[in-house]
Amino acid sequence: MIDFFIKVKQQKAQNLPFVLYRKPNNIKLIGFFQNNDHLYFAENFEETGFVFAPFEGSQMILIPRNQSVKWETLITSFKENEDSDFIDSEDIQAKEHFESLVQKGIDAIAKGTLKKVVLSRKEIVGLSNFDLVSIFEKLIQNYPTAFCYCWFHPKIGLWMGATPERLLKANTNTFYTMSLAGTQKLQGDKEVVWEKKEMEEQQFVTDFILDNLKELTLEVSVSSPYTAQAGTLAHIKTDIEGVINDNSSLKEVVSVLHPTPAVCGLPKEVAKNFILENEGYDREYYTGFLGELNKEGFNKGEIKSDLYVNLRCMQIKDNQAHLYMGCGITKDSIPENEWRESVNKSMTMKKILDLK
Ligand SMILES: C=C(O[C@H]1C=CC=C(C(=O)O)[C@@H]1O)C(=O)O
């Protein structure tokens, strides 16, 4: 692990692109270190490497497998989780601004143009010092069930996150995806009970995925919704798996799924336009997706992709962290509760940072 992090520090000092990641419930830490600073793009989903795609637009950045070296190490040191219950001072202006955005969303839903829209905000916090390696170590220690990553490109910037949402796992022609929505803060051992609003919001996501994958897939099986833990939060989750038709491509499946109603809304295009017109900031790579593209499996001829939605993430810029968080809005949303939910989501990153 020490050598691995020395390699990370050298790569960063040389200003060369890299990605470090650890999959959910896994002790393997993987790094792709690009050997030049070129900005490569994945164009047709037939490339091999690590992809990093924005919420909007089609420019998916690729760290190509054949232009990088891959390192792997096992996470051997497990520190005790420092469960610092971070208390934040409330930014009244940001609260009012977000609540009025949520109200706009509720009004649009009441008019019938939308069924669900995911509205988000960005918060900038000052860092007292930022040591990439120690923050990333804290990230992987604190969120063992998340996909944890640190991605850097000198022409784009530095992003980190611990996401609970898988977009798609594909092994040659089989696929797995999930429907994730509804959020509440875990309170010790207290049983998690879901309200109708959250159950309905999550069902929208499941229905959307099933309806839209129908043409491209077969033998689809669906689990019952269940409670899944993500750090100190709980969500409702449904597992969906099946087979991709012989005449359908990975590109088609991803373009149906992204952006899911867990990060965009329904109907997809109306919700996306509402977000672009009303959120008032650029999401960039937040709610985009990232992960392994067309990796060769152990068995001959096996090709695997494993993509995640970029949630509970931040961008580090000039000694500041830009944190991103959003909430699914439906007709029953209450603006103040959505604000509180966004504050809870911001804690995922705040807990691991040394804040000013
Ligand atoms: C958009 C986010 O979360 C999504 C995923 C799970 C639960 C969500 C919710 O309860 O609103 C969101 O749809 C975010 O964390 O920024």
Side-chain angles (χ1 to χ4, degrees), residues 4 11 18-19 23 47 78 82 93 95 101 104 108 119 128 154-155 165 168-169 172 175 183 250 252 259 306 323 336:
F4 186 95
Q11 186 86 357
F18 64 86
V19 63
K23 294 190 185 185
E47 301 85 352
F78 290 95
E82 304 149 40
Q93 240 186 334
K95 181 173 187 283
L101 173 67
K104 250 193 198 171
L119 296 172
S128 53
K155 294 171 181 155
E165 188 173 356
L168 180 73
K169 184 174 177 165
T172 311
F175 78 94
T183 304
L250 185 64
E252 286 172 309
D306 199 4
L323 316 174
E336 189 167 8

Short mmCIF file of all heavy atoms in Angstrom, two decimals, residues 4 11 18-19 23 47 78 82 93 95 101 104 108 119 128 154-155 165 168-169 172 175 183 250 252 259 306 323 336:
data_model
loop_
_atom_site.label_atom_id
_atom_site.label_comp_id
_atom_site.label_asym_id
_atom_site.label_seq_id
_atom_site.Cartn_x
_atom_site.Cartn_y
_atom_site.Cartn_z
N PHE A 4 2.12 1.90 -3.45
CA PHE A 4 0.99 2.36 -4.26
C PHE A 4 0.81 3.87 -4.07
O PHE A 4 0.69 4.63 -5.04
CB PHE A 4 -0.28 1.60 -3.81
CG PHE A 4 -1.50 1.87 -4.65
CD1 PHE A 4 -1.83 1.03 -5.69
CD2 PHE A 4 -2.33 2.95 -4.38
CE1 PHE A 4 -2.97 1.26 -6.47
CE2 PHE A 4 -3.47 3.19 -5.15
CZ PHE A 4 -3.78 2.34 -6.19
N GLN A 11 2.85 10.59 -9.52
CA GLN A 11 2.01 10.88 -10.69
C GLN A 11 1.41 12.29 -10.57
O GLN A 11 1.39 13.05 -11.51
CB GLN A 11 0.88 9.82 -10.78
CG GLN A 11 0.02 9.91 -12.00
CD GLN A 11 0.59 9.17 -13.21
OE1 GLN A 11 1.68 8.60 -13.16
NE2 GLN A 11 -0.13 9.20 -14.31
N PHE A 18 -4.68 10.23 -13.48
CA PHE A 18 -4.79 8.92 -12.83
C PHE A 18 -6.18 8.74 -12.24
O PHE A 18 -6.93 9.70 -12.07
CB PHE A 18 -3.73 8.73 -11.73
CG PHE A 18 -3.86 9.68 -10.57
CD1 PHE A 18 -4.70 9.39 -9.50
CD2 PHE A 18 -3.14 10.88 -10.55
CE1 PHE A 18 -4.82 10.27 -8.42
CE2 PHE A 18 -3.27 11.76 -9.48
CZ PHE A 18 -4.11 11.45 -8.41
N VAL A 19 -6.49 7.49 -11.93
CA VAL A 19 -7.70 7.21 -11.14
C VAL A 19 -7.38 6.11 -10.14
O VAL A 19 -6.65 5.18 -10.46
CB VAL A 19 -8.91 6.85 -12.03
CG1 VAL A 19 -8.70 5.58 -12.83
CG2 VAL A 19 -10.18 6.71 -11.19
N LYS A 23 -13.93 -0.91 -5.18
CA LYS A 23 -15.34 -1.26 -5.38
C LYS A 23 -16.01 -1.56 -4.04
O LYS A 23 -15.34 -1.84 -3.06
CB LYS A 23 -15.43 -2.48 -6.30
CG LYS A 23 -14.95 -2.16 -7.70
CD LYS A 23 -15.28 -3.30 -8.62
CE LYS A 23 -14.70 -3.03 -9.99
NZ LYS A 23 -15.11 -4.06 -10.95
N GLU A 47 -14.15 1.20 -26.46
CA GLU A 47 -12.80 1.37 -25.93
C GLU A 47 -12.64 0.61 -24.61
O GLU A 47 -13.61 0.23 -23.99
CB GLU A 47 -12.53 2.87 -25.65
CG GLU A 47 -12.65 3.79 -26.85
CD GLU A 47 -14.07 4.26 -27.14
OE1 GLU A 47 -15.02 3.79 -26.51
OE2 GLU A 47 -14.21 5.13 -28.02
N PHE A 78 -6.78 -1.34 8.59
CA PHE A 78 -8.15 -0.89 8.83
C PHE A 78 -8.17 -0.07 10.11
O PHE A 78 -8.02 -0.59 11.21
CB PHE A 78 -9.10 -2.09 8.93
CG PHE A 78 -9.28 -2.76 7.61
CD1 PHE A 78 -8.50 -3.85 7.26
CD2 PHE A 78 -10.18 -2.27 6.69
CE1 PHE A 78 -8.64 -4.45 6.01
CE2 PHE A 78 -10.31 -2.86 5.44
CZ PHE A 78 -9.55 -3.95 5.11
N GLU A 82 -13.53 7.04 12.62
CA GLU A 82 -13.72 8.13 13.57
C GLU A 82 -15.11 8.66 13.29
O GLU A 82 -15.32 9.33 12.28
CB GLU A 82 -12.71 9.25 13.31
CG GLU A 82 -11.28 8.79 13.35
CD GLU A 82 -10.41 9.61 12.40
OE1 GLU A 82 -10.61 10.84 12.31
OE2 GLU A 82 -9.55 9.01 11.75
N GLN A 93 -28.85 31.95 3.55
CA GLN A 93 -29.09 32.33 2.14
C GLN A 93 -29.17 31.11 1.22
O GLN A 93 -30.05 31.01 0.37
CB GLN A 93 -27.95 33.22 1.68
CG GLN A 93 -28.44 34.57 1.25
CD GLN A 93 -27.29 35.37 0.68
OE1 GLN A 93 -26.12 35.16 1.01
NE2 GLN A 93 -27.63 36.29 -0.21
N LYS A 95 -29.96 28.17 2.12
CA LYS A 95 -31.17 27.42 2.49
C LYS A 95 -32.38 28.01 1.75
O LYS A 95 -33.15 27.29 1.11
CB LYS A 95 -31.38 27.51 4.01
CG LYS A 95 -32.58 26.77 4.55
CD LYS A 95 -32.55 26.81 6.09
CE LYS A 95 -33.64 25.95 6.71
NZ LYS A 95 -34.95 26.53 6.69
N LEU A 101 -35.95 26.86 -5.00
CA LEU A 101 -35.76 26.00 -6.17
C LEU A 101 -36.66 24.75 -6.05
O LEU A 101 -37.34 24.36 -7.01
CB LEU A 101 -34.29 25.59 -6.26
CG LEU A 101 -33.91 24.56 -7.32
CD1 LEU A 101 -34.10 25.12 -8.73
CD2 LEU A 101 -32.44 24.11 -7.16
N LYS A 104 -40.20 25.59 -6.77
CA LYS A 104 -40.41 25.70 -8.22
C LYS A 104 -40.65 24.32 -8.83
O LYS A 104 -41.49 24.13 -9.70
CB LYS A 104 -39.15 26.28 -8.87
CG LYS A 104 -39.31 27.67 -9.38
CD LYS A 104 -38.10 27.98 -10.27
CE LYS A 104 -37.95 29.45 -10.48
NZ LYS A 104 -36.71 29.80 -11.14
N ALA A 108 -44.01 22.93 -10.70
CA ALA A 108 -44.01 22.36 -12.06
C ALA A 108 -44.67 20.98 -12.05
O ALA A 108 -45.39 20.62 -12.98
CB ALA A 108 -42.57 22.27 -12.59
N LEU A 119 -33.33 17.88 -7.84
CA LEU A 119 -32.73 19.21 -7.81
C LEU A 119 -31.54 19.22 -6.86
O LEU A 119 -31.58 18.60 -5.79
CB LEU A 119 -33.79 20.24 -7.40
CG LEU A 119 -34.91 20.33 -8.45
CD1 LEU A 119 -36.06 21.20 -7.96
CD2 LEU A 119 -34.38 20.86 -9.79
N SER A 128 -8.34 23.39 5.42
CA SER A 128 -7.18 23.92 6.15
C SER A 128 -5.91 23.31 5.59
O SER A 128 -4.88 23.94 5.52
CB SER A 128 -7.32 23.68 7.64
OG SER A 128 -7.57 22.33 7.87
N PRO A 154 -5.02 16.77 -15.37
CA PRO A 154 -4.55 18.16 -15.26
C PRO A 154 -5.41 19.15 -16.05
O PRO A 154 -5.46 20.33 -15.72
CB PRO A 154 -3.12 18.11 -15.81
CG PRO A 154 -3.04 16.84 -16.60
CD PRO A 154 -4.00 15.89 -15.95
N LYS A 155 -6.10 18.65 -17.09
CA LYS A 155 -6.90 19.57 -17.92
C LYS A 155 -8.35 19.66 -17.43
O LYS A 155 -9.14 20.43 -17.96
CB LYS A 155 -6.87 19.12 -19.39
CG LYS A 155 -5.46 19.25 -19.95
CD LYS A 155 -5.30 18.64 -21.31
CE LYS A 155 -3.85 18.83 -21.76
NZ LYS A 155 -3.41 17.85 -22.72
N GLU A 165 -24.47 4.29 -5.66
CA GLU A 165 -25.31 3.89 -6.80
C GLU A 165 -24.52 3.31 -7.97
O GLU A 165 -23.66 3.98 -8.55
CB GLU A 165 -26.15 5.09 -7.29
CG GLU A 165 -27.16 4.65 -8.34
CD GLU A 165 -28.14 5.74 -8.76
OE1 GLU A 165 -28.10 6.84 -8.19
OE2 GLU A 165 -28.92 5.46 -9.68
N LEU A 168 -24.48 0.43 -13.94
CA LEU A 168 -24.57 -0.78 -14.75
C LEU A 168 -23.35 -1.67 -14.56
O LEU A 168 -22.22 -1.18 -14.60
CB LEU A 168 -24.65 -0.39 -16.23
CG LEU A 168 -24.75 -1.53 -17.22
CD1 LEU A 168 -26.11 -2.17 -17.19
CD2 LEU A 168 -24.47 -1.03 -18.64
N LYS A 169 -23.64 -2.95 -14.38
CA LYS A 169 -22.54 -3.92 -14.40
C LYS A 169 -22.86 -4.86 -15.55
O LYS A 169 -23.97 -5.43 -15.59
CB LYS A 169 -22.50 -4.67 -13.08
CG LYS A 169 -21.36 -5.61 -12.96
CD LYS A 169 -21.28 -6.21 -11.58
CE LYS A 169 -20.15 -7.21 -11.60
NZ LYS A 169 -19.73 -7.62 -10.33
N THR A 172 -20.07 -9.49 -20.49
CA THR A 172 -20.37 -9.90 -21.87
C THR A 172 -21.83 -9.57 -22.18
O THR A 172 -22.12 -8.44 -22.51
CB THR A 172 -19.99 -11.37 -22.13
OG1 THR A 172 -18.64 -11.53 -21.63
CG2 THR A 172 -19.96 -11.69 -23.62
N PHE A 175 -26.43 -8.32 -17.53
CA PHE A 175 -26.32 -7.00 -16.90
C PHE A 175 -26.97 -7.00 -15.52
O PHE A 175 -27.83 -7.82 -15.22
CB PHE A 175 -26.95 -5.91 -17.78
CG PHE A 175 -28.46 -5.88 -17.68
CD1 PHE A 175 -29.10 -5.03 -16.77
CD2 PHE A 175 -29.24 -6.72 -18.46
CE1 PHE A 175 -30.49 -5.04 -16.65
CE2 PHE A 175 -30.62 -6.73 -18.34
CZ PHE A 175 -31.25 -5.88 -17.43
N THR A 183 -34.31 8.84 0.90
CA THR A 183 -33.16 9.00 1.79
C THR A 183 -33.65 9.28 3.20
O THR A 183 -34.58 10.06 3.38
CB THR A 183 -32.30 10.20 1.34
OG1 THR A 183 -31.91 9.99 -0.02
CG2 THR A 183 -31.06 10.37 2.19
N LEU A 250 -23.82 -2.02 -25.60
CA LEU A 250 -23.60 -1.43 -24.28
C LEU A 250 -23.93 0.07 -24.33
O LEU A 250 -24.54 0.63 -23.41
CB LEU A 250 -22.13 -1.63 -23.90
CG LEU A 250 -21.70 -1.19 -22.51
CD1 LEU A 250 -22.42 -2.01 -21.45
CD2 LEU A 250 -20.19 -1.32 -22.34
N GLU A 252 -26.13 1.57 -26.13
CA GLU A 252 -27.59 1.78 -26.09
C GLU A 252 -28.12 1.62 -24.66
O GLU A 252 -28.95 2.41 -24.21
CB GLU A 252 -28.30 0.77 -27.00
CG GLU A 252 -28.16 1.08 -28.47
CD GLU A 252 -28.72 -0.05 -29.32
OE1 GLU A 252 -28.35 -1.22 -29.10
OE2 GLU A 252 -29.52 0.24 -30.22
N PRO A 259 -29.21 9.93 -17.83
CA PRO A 259 -29.24 9.98 -16.38
C PRO A 259 -30.51 9.33 -15.85
O PRO A 259 -31.59 9.57 -16.39
CB PRO A 259 -29.23 11.48 -16.07
CG PRO A 259 -29.74 12.15 -17.31
CD PRO A 259 -29.55 11.23 -18.46
N ASP A 306 -18.14 -1.93 -15.48
CA ASP A 306 -18.70 -1.72 -14.15
C ASP A 306 -18.76 -0.21 -13.89
O ASP A 306 -17.74 0.41 -13.60
CB ASP A 306 -17.82 -2.43 -13.11
CG ASP A 306 -18.56 -2.65 -11.81
OD1 ASP A 306 -19.76 -2.34 -11.73
OD2 ASP A 306 -17.93 -3.14 -10.84
N LEU A 323 -18.70 20.77 -2.99
CA LEU A 323 -19.51 19.59 -2.67
C LEU A 323 -20.83 19.65 -3.43
O LEU A 323 -21.41 20.73 -3.58
CB LEU A 323 -19.83 19.53 -1.17
CG LEU A 323 -18.70 19.83 -0.20
CD1 LEU A 323 -19.25 19.87 1.22
CD2 LEU A 323 -17.64 18.75 -0.30
N GLU A 336 -38.31 22.37 3.19
CA GLU A 336 -37.36 22.37 4.30
C GLU A 336 -36.76 20.96 4.54
O GLU A 336 -35.58 20.83 4.86
CB GLU A 336 -38.00 22.90 5.58
CG GLU A 336 -36.92 23.07 6.63
CD GLU A 336 -37.29 23.86 7.84
OE1 GLU A 336 -38.48 24.21 8.00
OE2 GLU A 336 -36.36 24.11 8.63
#
